[in-house]
Amino acid sequence: MQNKRTVRRWIQYTIASAVVYLVLDVSVRVTGAIRVPDAVGVKNFLAVLLGLVFGPFGVAGCCMGCLMGGLLLSDLDISLLYECLSNIMVGLGMWCMWHWRNKTGTVFLKKPVDYRRYMLMLLSLSLMAGITAFFMLPDHSFLPYFGGYFIMGIIVGIPILILMTSIVCVNPVLPPWRKREEGLTGNVSLAPETLTAFNEQLEEYAMSKKVKMKEIFGIQNCIEEVLIRFQEANPDSVTRIRVEFHDSVSIDFENDGIRCNPFRSGKDEGTETLMGLKLILHRALRSSYSHQDGCNMVHIVM
């Protein structure tokens, strides 16, 4: 079951990457807002960013978006082939080089050493993209293709990377030789002692991350509100919870049973029953719900 959800997530990453690439590529080329070769533009940061975060699935999406853009604009030539090859080279290069030395399984830009690594990786791969263009394309240009990846990877890629991984807490796709850095995980059932034990573990874990008690209480309140909704719909189920602390707090819930969206009230319920949860979500950066393969999944970033 977990494997099916993982494969579905990979497909979603690929499709989303393709759509974003297609929209950004076609919109700029049709309007002619930037007078550069077709393989160069704001879109170049997508191979850097999506390759680093989503690995081969982000790169596959970039190539799919590139090919669909060429078909829509009836522009199938060698520059399209170059664009796909350079996306593969830059995207997979960023992914492999980053995780080759980084043992935490995270993609964060927090320390000066992280920025230096990112810049050196981007510089070397952008040079390779520029050299490939010089020998492969009829115009034998180097600078536009080098600058497209390098400059866009800095001025657009860095801010969005920080937003995606540190703030919104998007889980990156990791290569086979790396494992995700786990936060606090636990299983909570209808028995009150399971929630008490989890809250105690949460306090210890949060304090080790130097989180203030006021924030800890808010996180515990959020968890309890979601659990109440799940236990009302599926009283015999066990809810799996994972909490991670970075620049923001990421909370994931998995509850096997009938569909139960904790963010919505039933027909016979008043809005006051959801007041506590709605107050929490009001200050949440991100919240999502899905029901797949008989499992309710909730993700909240605070």
Side-chain angles (χ1 to χ4, degrees):
M1 201 70 75
Q2 183 65 36
N3 290 336
K4 289 178 63 177
R5 288 198 289 267
T6 300
V7 171
R8 187 182 289 111
R9 181 166 59 94
W10 291 344
I11 295 173
Q12 291 171 346
Y13 288 158
T14 302
I15 295 175
S17 300
V19 171
V20 173
Y21 196 98
L22 174 65
V23 171
L24 193 57
D25 182 20
V26 172
S27 61
V28 172
R29 290 171 62 181
V30 168
T31 58
I34 304 177
R35 295 186 178 182
V36 291
D38 290 342
V40 179
V42 180
K43 62 184 175 182
N44 291 135
F45 87 91
L46 290 172
V48 178
L49 176 69
L50 299 178
L52 181 56
V53 178
F54 298 141
F57 309 104
V59 173
C62 289
C63 292
M64 287 173 57
C66 174
L67 293 173
M68 288 188 293
L71 290 171
L72 285 175
L73 299 176
S74 300
D75 190 12
L76 301 176
D77 55 15
I78 193 171
S79 66
L80 190 69
L81 176 61
Y82 162 77
E83 189 174 345
C84 289
L85 289 176
S86 60
N87 285 341
I88 294 172
M89 179 170 55
V90 173
L92 289 183
M94 292 290 292
W95 187 61
C96 293
M97 292 169 68
W98 179 272
H99 291 291
W100 187 257
R101 298 291 298 273
N102 182 20
K103 298 180 180 180
T104 63
T106 57
V107 184
F108 293 136
L109 295 179
K110 292 186 176 181
K111 302 177 181 178
V113 65
D114 298 328
Y115 285 92
R116 286 198 298 269
R117 287 182 58 222
Y118 179 89
M119 297 285 286
L120 288 173
M121 289 162 45
L122 181 61
L123 176 62
S124 61
L125 293 168
S126 299
L127 284 170
M128 292 175 62
I131 293 172
T132 303
F134 181 81
F135 288 104
M136 184 174 179
L137 298 179
D139 59 1
H140 299 293
S141 295
F142 165 82
L143 194 58
Y145 303 94
F146 162 76
Y149 285 101
F150 187 67
I151 294 174
M152 290 299 125
I154 294 175
I155 64 175
V156 183
I158 288 179
I160 298 181
L161 178 62
I162 294 173
L163 177 65
M164 287 180 63
T165 59
S166 296
I167 308 300
V168 185
C169 296
V170 173
N171 294 325
V173 173
L174 302 180
W177 62 86
R178 284 287 172 260
K179 292 184 178 180
R180 181 179 175 184
E181 185 182 58
E182 290 290 344
L184 173 67
T185 59
N187 297 325
V188 178
S189 66
L190 193 60
E193 57 270 19
T194 60
L195 178 58
T196 301
F198 182 80
N199 280 336
E200 291 175 354
Q201 295 174 8
L202 177 60
E203 289 180 12
E204 293 179 4
Y205 174 62
M207 292 176 69
S208 70
K209 298 291 185 178
K210 299 181 180 180
V211 179
K212 298 179 180 179
M213 284 302 301
K214 181 180 179 180
E215 297 179 8
I216 296 174
F217 291 148
I219 296 166
Q220 290 174 332
N221 187 20
C222 175
I223 291 174
E224 290 172 8
E225 291 285 353
V226 174
L227 286 174
I228 289 172
R229 305 294 296 177
F230 280 156
Q231 290 171 354
E232 287 177 352
N234 302 294
D236 298 327
S237 65
V238 174
T239 302
R240 297 174 292 279
I241 307 173
R242 183 177 67 244
V243 182
E244 295 178 279
F245 291 94
H246 299 296
D247 292 338
S248 54
V249 183
S250 174
I251 312 173
D252 290 283
F253 302 84
E254 292 185 358
N255 173 267
D256 294 324
I258 63 173
R259 181 184 296 271
C260 173
N261 186 344
F263 306 141
R264 293 183 180 178
S265 59
K267 295 180 179 179
D268 300 329
E269 295 177 332
T271 56
E272 64 277 1
T273 59
L274 282 176
M275 188 60 67
L277 186 59
K278 287 186 178 293
L279 288 174
I280 294 169
L281 294 178
H282 181 70
R283 61 188 181 91
L285 298 172
R286 175 189 176 195
S287 61
S288 63
Y289 167 81
S290 63
H291 185 266
Q292 299 175 359
D293 302 318
C295 180
N296 295 290
M297 292 181 288
V298 170
H299 181 54
I300 299 176
V301 179
M302 304 176 66

